Structures are given as C-alpha cells and as structure tokens.
Amino acid sequence: MPAEPVPAIEIVRTRAELQPAIARHLAAKRGPGTPALGLVPTMGALHAGHRALAEAAAAENDVVVASVFVNPLQFGDATDLERYPRTLDADAALLAEAGVDLVFAPDVEEMYPGGEPEVRVVAGPLAQKWEGASRPGHFDGVCTVVSKLLHLAMPGGFDGARAAYRAYFGQKDAQQVAVVRRMVRDLDFPVEVVAVPIVRDADGLALSSRNRFLSEEERDAALVLSRALKLLEDRASAHEPLNPDDAEALVRSQPLVELDYLDVVDPNTLEPLAFACRETPFTGEALAIVAAAVGPVRLIDNMPLRAR
Ligand code: PAF
C-alpha cells in the first residue's frame, strides 16, 4: 500500500504574515463552537520529544502553529549558540507529520529588529536557582522570547468569544515550565500552559537536541542520570525514604559525568523538599531533578515522584 501523503505545511518568516495566516487557518478549520489554537514554541533541531508536543497540540486544538527560532537572548555562551543545529527542512517535515498547520520561522533581525530588545521580561526568583544559577539571564531570555511569541500568535476573537489558546512545553525543561507558568499567571497572559511528559530513548536517556554532541562513550555514561532518578522514583512509589544521597553517589561514581545538582523539590516552587521526606517514608508528590556536564554537553533530566 502506498504511504499516506504527508500534509502540506505553510511556513511564514515574518511577523506581518503570521496573524493573517493564523486567521486563515482558523477560518478554514472552524466547526461549531469557538475554535482553539495551539502554539508549540521550539528552537528547531526537533526530535521525538518535540513531536510529542506537536501531537498533543494537534489532538487538542483546531489549528497548531509551531515556532522555530534559535533565541540568542537565552544563550550565555556564544559557542553554544553558534553550534546549535539549524535544520528547518527536517523540522518542517516532522511538524507536518505531527499535524502542525503553520510554522513561524523568523530570523534574528525579524524577531529583534534593530538589535536586542532594551525592555525584557525579568523572570524573578524562581529563575535564579538550579538552571538559572548556572546560566545567569537564561530565563529572562526565555521569558522575553516566549512572551513575544505568545503575543504574535495570539488568536483573534470569534463571534464575541475569544478563541481558546494553549501553549505546549516539554516537561524535560521542568524549570522552564514552572517559570513560564509563573509569567503567564503574574502577567495575565490569556493562554493555558500545557506540559508534555519527557520522551526517552529505550535505555532511559531523555531526548535532547544536544544529545547529538555526545560520543558513544559519553552517551553511555549519561545513562547514569536517568538511573539515579529512577532509583528515587522506585523508592517514592514503594513509599520508602528517598535518601537522595544514594542517587547522588551513583552519579558521582561515573567519571565522565560532572554533577551540577541533584535534588528532590516541590514541582511548582522548585524549593527543596522538607528534610523529613528524605529520611522517613515518602508521601505525596515531588520532582527529582538533575543536571550534569557530560563531555561538551550540559544535560538536564527530571522525574515526578509519587507514593502509590
Ligand atoms: O524550550 C525551548 O526550546 C526554548 O527555550 C523556547 C521555549 C522555544 C524559547 O526559546
């Protein structure tokens, strides 16, 4: 049987083209009731984790827009920015297969005409810890570009009602999800933030656009991160004390992995969990988080913990 044809996808490069294109797609898809638009912000170099975001958006909305923009404001390191993979043709093919209707792929001058913006979003205390401590300014850059994208793709009104608006983020960047949720709440963005679970390779490695920079040996070493989180997840499920030091010792036993942090935190505030749950049987819900350098790459991962 011949393969199903992949639906065509429209790519727009300018801010001026985006709103008319969104209105056209919403009008074409409109069934009864108020339509819904899903936005999937990405930096490209897409993998199955992004596909899961796009598929979740396609399942829940009438029209899906994905943005592909490597945002210089969120990179502290010029080399990291320069080597970040740019693969728009492959990205557009993946997004089309996943059910995305429209790709917004501006260049830097289009997104920041005349240079970097003077006025930016300050991400606040939630953004100072964990990733924020190692990457100063990173979340200000994320919030600034995400707020621009949320404005640029915001759907118009229909029959006096506002079209539903949802934005999709990967749970792998758990702190990014928490910070964006906080921004949306504090600044009254009319959008629902949806977090989509992490997609892992069969051996447990969380998918990341940066995994491609790992050698085979480094990739093997990186598996210790998901194993350490799994140790905590198993203890939490079994209602046992977490003793996170054991998970930390496991990561430190791998010489190619340089641990930055490993901790058990509240999923919303990202504050370390009360000490009691570490040494007494685990109850409730938490998030185990880890970050480490493996060769040339900084990797992050996390797992929700739940007592069963
Ligand atoms: O998660 C990402 O890829 C980026 O941080 C985002 C949300 C697209 C903003 O540039």
Side-chain angles (χ1 to χ4, degrees):
M1 225 169 63
E4 288 271 310
V6 174
I9 194 160
E10 183 178 357
I11 301 180
V12 299
R13 299 284 196 162
T14 64
R15 290 169 298 153
E17 289 169 292
L18 183 58
Q19 272 298 323
I22 288 173
R24 215 178 338 100
H25 280 273
L26 281 171
K29 288 279 177 101
R30 231 180 129 194
T34 313
L37 179 93
L39 172 68
V40 183
T42 83
M43 297 205 301
L46 305 183
H47 49 66
H50 297 101
R51 176 193 282 267
L53 295 184
E55 286 176 346
E60 292 170 358
N61 299 279
D62 298 297
V63 172
V64 180
V65 180
S67 60
V68 175
F69 176 63
V70 183
N71 173 35
L73 298 191
Q74 68 189 77
F75 286 79
D77 173 1
T79 319
D80 196 24
L81 172 61
E82 211 170 292
R83 77 171 177 188
Y84 197 89
R86 272 86 166 166
T87 56
L88 184 59
D89 289 347
D91 294 343
L94 178 147
L95 292 168
E97 274 181 19
V100 171
D101 302 284
L102 184 60
V103 176
F104 176 49
D107 63 17
V108 174
E109 176 56 25
E110 176 63 25
M111 215 40 192
Y112 301 125
E116 293 193 348
E118 285 185 13
V119 176
R120 301 182 186 206
V121 178
V122 177
L126 190 52
Q128 302 300 320
K129 48 197 151 198
W130 311 122
E131 285 310 286
S134 303
R135 306 173 69 186
H138 169 70
F139 288 113
D140 292 359
V142 169
C143 284
T144 301
V145 79
V146 169
S147 60
K148 278 176 73 90
L149 292 167
L150 288 172
H151 286 131
L152 289 168
M154 192 177 296
F158 287 83
D159 300 336
R162 196 179 348 229
Y165 190 22
R166 303 186 181 97
Y168 293 77
F169 297 86
Q171 176 60 29
K172 186 166 93 59
D173 295 301
Q175 189 170 8
Q176 174 170 278
V177 172
V179 168
V180 169
R181 278 194 204 284
R182 184 80 210 202
M183 175 182 79
V184 161
R185 194 179 96 191
D186 285 354
L187 302 183
D188 292 312
F189 281 80
V191 66
E192 179 191 343
V193 173
V194 182
V196 177
I198 295 179
V199 178
R200 298 179 182 280
D201 277 331
D203 56 12
L205 187 69
L207 296 193
S208 161
S209 304
R210 293 184 169 93
N211 287 354
R212 68 186 75 191
F213 298 125
L214 296 169
S215 68
E216 210 173 305
E217 204 187 4
E218 287 161 351
R219 195 193 168 288
D220 279 350
L223 294 176
V224 78
L225 301 179
S226 54
R227 287 195 190 120
L229 296 177
K230 184 82 177 65
L231 174 72
L232 296 171
E233 188 196 39
D234 289 345
R235 286 180 180 171
S237 304
H239 194 52
E240 288 171 5
L242 296 180
N243 290 324
D245 290 353
D246 296 343
E248 187 172 325
L250 181 63
V251 176
R252 291 198 190 282
S253 71
Q254 174 48 259
L256 292 182
V257 175
E258 199 181 315
L259 181 64
D260 181 357
Y261 58 78
L262 183 151
D263 219 319
V264 177
V265 300
D266 177 286
N268 299 312
T269 64
L270 305 182
E271 283 300 317
L273 204 72
F275 213 68
C277 289
R278 295 160 175 257
E279 293 171 351
T280 57
F282 180 81
T283 53
E285 286 190 3
L287 189 69
I289 55 173
V290 66
V294 185
V297 184
R298 178 180 174 82
L299 294 179
I300 56 173
D301 198 354
N302 67 83
M303 255 178 225
L305 307 183
R306 245 172 242 117
R308 293 195 204 289

